[in-house]
Amino acid sequence: MNTNGASTSTGVGSVDQTAPRRNSKRPKYSKFTQQELPACKPILTPQWVIGAFVLVGIIFIPIGVASLLASRDVVEIVYRYETDCVPERFKTDKLAYIQNDSLDKTCNRSLTVPKHMKQPIYVYYQLDNFYQNHRRYVKSRNDAQLRDRKKQNETSGCDPEDRSNGSPIVPCGLIAWSLFNDTYSFSRNNKPLNVNKKGISWKSDRDHKFGDDVYPKNFQNGTLVGGGKLDPNKPLSEQEDLIVWMRTAALPTFRKLYGKIEVDLQANEQITVVLKNNYNTYRFNGKKKLVLSTTTWLGGKNDFLGIAYLTIGALCFFLALAFIVVYLVKPRCVFYLKSLYSIN
């Protein structure tokens, strides 16, 4: 008998201790991976469900009523003028009218104040069917150029409004090029109403996005003028009409702040408005509106928030009532969770 061979042989099913151990994909044990962390597991009894719905209804309905009343307290004057401010002979060809620079675009209108309007009264312009959220339009700007004078020659991303006669445009891009340029002036009893245009833009935009040492250069000097012009002697951080315009809107119908009237307007007063109808919205069938609005603790006029709270509150009350009826008509025996684990 060969004892050496017997001592080195291994039987069927034996484990070779010298063989490398196979890596396991099992994660390291922890209460987190095994979902054994302490947790609250409430049983939703009919009483709890009904009580929760009633509580939500009690909270939401008063908030909805308060929001709706606040929205209704806002006084607004909305006047659409892109059609009314076109002379009769150009009614059939509005595009020719707006593109003719030799024509006077002044338009005088009288507005009646429906209710007492407390200061400050915010003056907005509203545009409809203007897609500021178009991808190419939104990207057509250079933020570094707007912030830093040393980078005023950077015009990447501003195509096609990046250069004029070989020199860089400041500010460049389609957004700045299409700056809104209608103007409004107001008077009451033949006395002018001052429109304060200071502080109409976001302070963070003035301080961080538009430099106080960056000045307009070669702006609107091309053959095709898109909109308003800028004062070359004022830095961009002080040109608040531009700052407001360049905060692009997400929807095709939007309002932008034009200024503030800082006196009260009494009910039934007549306000004379002198409009300069310069901005071309006729090419894309856009609408232009002048809006005068007050505000409340909730902001401007917006019924949606109040209606949403009222709808959810009413729905919760309806569901609570439905659960009460079901519970009374066909009650169901509910076992506590501990009884399910009573068997060891």
Side-chain angles (χ1 to χ4, degrees):
M1 176 179 292
N2 188 346
T3 58
N4 293 333
S7 63
T8 58
S9 62
T10 58
V12 177
S14 62
V15 179
D16 187 358
Q17 299 294 333
T18 63
R21 193 171 180 182
R22 194 169 105 186
N23 294 330
S24 174
K25 294 184 179 180
R26 179 194 294 179
K28 184 180 179 180
Y29 171 80
S30 70
K31 289 187 177 182
F32 178 77
T33 58
Q34 297 303 318
Q35 300 184 15
E36 295 178 359
L37 291 174
C40 178
K41 300 177 182 178
I43 296 177
L44 297 179
T45 63
Q47 292 86 347
W48 275 102
V49 173
I50 293 171
F53 278 126
V54 171
L55 179 62
V56 173
I58 291 174
I59 295 174
F60 274 48
I61 286 182
I63 295 176
V65 172
S67 301
L68 204 56
L69 290 176
S71 178
R72 297 292 169 85
D73 285 341
V74 174
V75 182
E76 275 193 356
I77 302 175
V78 181
Y79 173 62
R80 179 181 171 184
Y81 64 90
E82 87 282 347
T83 300
D84 291 348
C85 288
V86 176
E88 285 296 330
R89 61 193 179 99
F90 286 104
K91 291 289 187 181
T92 57
D93 194 358
K94 299 172 185 174
L95 195 59
Y97 164 76
I98 202 69
Q99 290 178 339
N100 190 338
D101 295 333
S102 63
L103 295 176
D104 184 17
K105 305 297 194 308
T106 304
C107 179
N108 297 307
R109 289 294 181 269
S110 180
L111 303 178
T112 302
V113 180
K115 294 170 60 177
H116 175 65
M117 302 180 73
K118 295 181 180 180
Q119 62 166 314
I121 301 167
Y122 295 92
V123 181
Y124 301 91
Y125 56 88
Q126 177 175 322
L127 296 180
D128 295 0
N129 201 36
F130 191 111
Y131 288 83
Q132 272 199 319
N133 59 353
H134 191 283
R135 180 174 178 271
R136 187 179 182 188
Y137 184 87
V138 170
K139 293 181 66 177
S140 185
R141 60 188 294 167
N142 190 295
D143 290 322
Q145 182 201 63
L146 299 174
R147 287 192 304 265
D148 191 354
R149 183 179 182 179
K150 297 178 181 178
K151 299 181 179 180
Q152 63 180 352
N153 292 329
E154 292 188 14
T155 58
S156 60
C158 291
D159 183 70
E161 292 299 321
D162 52 353
R163 291 183 173 273
S164 176
N165 299 321
S167 300
I169 299 173
V170 182
C172 66
L174 289 173
I175 305 177
W177 175 79
S178 60
L179 175 64
F180 186 80
N181 62 339
D182 282 7
T183 61
Y184 315 110
S185 59
F186 303 88
S187 62
R188 176 181 57 178
N189 299 326
N190 296 323
K191 295 181 180 180
L193 287 173
N194 183 48
V195 179
N196 184 6
K197 298 179 72 67
K198 293 289 186 181
I200 62 174
S201 61
W202 288 21
K203 186 177 184 300
S204 59
D205 288 353
R206 297 194 302 269
D207 294 344
H208 303 294
K209 292 188 176 181
F210 294 83
D212 56 5
D213 59 350
V214 182
Y215 292 82
K217 186 174 66 173
N218 296 322
F219 187 70
Q220 302 289 24
N221 286 345
T223 56
L224 183 62
V225 177
K229 296 186 177 182
L230 299 175
D231 186 349
N233 298 317
K234 290 176 63 176
L236 296 185
S237 61
E238 296 181 10
Q239 312 227 26
E240 297 199 45
D241 285 331
L242 172 71
I243 298 174
V244 171
W245 178 256
M246 293 198 68
R247 180 165 283 277
T248 53
L251 300 175
T253 297
F254 57 87
R255 292 179 181 179
K256 290 186 181 290
L257 187 58
Y258 180 83
K260 294 176 288 186
I261 298 175
E262 296 177 327
V263 294
D264 289 358
L265 298 179
Q266 304 302 322
N268 300 319
E269 278 190 327
Q270 295 293 319
I271 305 299
T272 302
V273 186
V274 179
L275 304 98
K276 291 287 188 177
N277 183 24
N278 299 316
Y279 201 68
N280 185 2
T281 58
Y282 305 105
R283 183 177 292 276
F284 53 89
N285 294 322
K287 301 174 184 177
K288 294 190 290 187
K289 296 176 183 178
L290 169 64
V291 181
L292 277 69
S293 175
T294 60
T295 58
T296 62
W297 60 270
L298 193 62
K301 191 175 186 64
N302 185 2
D303 292 343
F304 173 78
L305 187 63
I307 293 173
Y309 271 106
L310 287 174
T311 302
I312 295 174
L315 180 62
C316 288
F317 272 128
F318 173 78
L319 292 175
L321 181 63
F323 277 116
I324 291 173
V325 172
V326 172
Y327 179 65
L328 294 177
V329 173
K330 192 175 181 181
R332 182 178 180 184
C333 185
V334 179
F335 294 94
Y336 289 102
L337 184 61
K338 63 181 183 180
S339 65
L340 300 177
Y341 299 97
S342 60
I343 301 176
N344 293 329

